[in-house]
Amino acid sequence: MLGVLIARASGQSFETFLRQRVFEPLGMIDTTFSVPAADLGRLATGYSTDPESGALALYDEPAGQWSSPPAFPSGGAGLVSTAADFLAFAEMLLRGGGPLLSRPSVETMTTDQLTAAQKAISGFFPGDFDARGWGFGVGLVTRREQTWAPVGQYGWDGGARHDLAERPVRAHDHPAPDQCRWTSPKPPPMALDFLTGAYAAIDDGG
C-alpha cells in the first residue's frame, strides 16, 4: 500500500522515487527491486535451514525472485542490494541522517515508541520486549542483557538474509548480510557470533 501511495503522490514509479530521493544521493548504485540479467551472476544463492535437522535447502536462486520486477513494489520489503550499498544507508543513519533526514528525525526514529501496555500484549515470543523496544522502522535495545546488545543500539533483522545493528554512542555500524534465510524471529547463531566478534574487536580507548 505504501509503495502505491508514494507512486500516486509523486507521479512516478515507486522505484524511480526511491532511486532519485534515496539511492542516488547515497551512492547506492546496486539497490533495486530486481537484478538486471547482466548482473545475475553477482547475486548470491539463498538458502533456508531445516529447523530440526539443520540441513541447508535451496530457497532462492539467482534466476528466481529478484530476476524480474515485482508486480507491485512494496514500501516495506523486497529490495535487493549489496553490502556496500547497505553500509552506505547505515552510515547515513549513524551520522544523523544527512543528506536525507534531519538529526531530530533520526533521533525520533530511534527512540522507543511503545508503551508498557503495548509491549505486554505484543512481541514474537514471551519476553520479546523485556529488553528492547521499537521506534519508527527500527528495533532498539532498552536494557543490556547480552554483550552484543548495548543500550541504545538500534537496527533491524531481515528474514531474507540480512541484519543491521548500529551503536550510535560510539559511532559503530555492523551490517551483516548472509546467504541463509532466517527461520525464527530470534537471530540465528551466525548473527549473534558476528555481533559478539564485532564488539570484541572494538577499542573504546579505556
Side-chain angles (χ1 to χ4, degrees):
M1 180 65 72
L2 180 60
V4 173
L5 288 175
I6 291 177
R8 296 277 178 85
S10 65
Q12 55 190 171
S13 72
F14 184 46
E15 184 168 7
T16 298
F17 178 89
L18 289 178
R19 185 173 66 251
Q20 293 180 354
R21 300 289 189 95
V22 180
F23 305 150
E24 289 180 352
L26 295 179
M28 298 170 64
I29 60 175
D30 287 314
T31 301
T32 181
F33 283 102
S34 62
V35 179
D39 288 334
L40 286 175
R42 300 171 56 204
L43 184 60
T45 298
Y47 298 91
S48 60
T49 305
D50 186 294
E52 296 183 0
S53 68
L56 291 179
L58 178 66
Y59 169 68
D60 190 62
E61 58 186 356
Q65 178 178 349
W66 281 280
S67 64
S68 60
F72 296 99
S74 171
L79 288 169
V80 60
S81 190
T82 61
D85 279 12
F86 201 44
L87 181 62
F89 188 84
E91 290 180 337
M92 176 273 294
L93 292 175
L94 198 60
R95 63 175 174 261
L100 303 182
L101 302 169
S102 67
R103 185 173 295 276
S105 292
V106 174
E107 291 174 351
T108 302
M109 288 171 56
T110 57
T111 298
D112 189 7
Q113 302 294 332
L114 297 182
T115 66
Q118 289 170 327
K119 292 181 179 181
I121 60 172
S122 58
F124 291 108
F125 49 84
D128 190 14
F129 285 117
D130 287 352
R132 72 186 192 99
W134 194 256
F136 293 125
V138 296
L140 54 128
V141 177
T142 56
R143 185 178 73 218
R144 188 164 199 165
E145 293 185 337
Q146 303 290 342
T147 303
W148 48 266
V151 174
Q153 175 179 291
Y154 64 85
W156 60 88
D157 304 322
R161 310 171 309 207
H162 76 264
D163 178 70
L164 172 69
E166 303 216 314
R167 186 188 184 201
V169 174
R170 293 289 186 180
H172 300 133
D173 50 35
H174 311 297
D178 67 81
Q179 288 180 251
C180 196
R181 183 172 180 259
W182 289 25
T183 57
S184 165
K186 294 184 178 181
M190 186 286 299
L192 302 184
D193 289 346
F194 174 84
L195 291 173
T196 299
Y199 281 117
I202 292 172
D203 180 3
D204 282 334

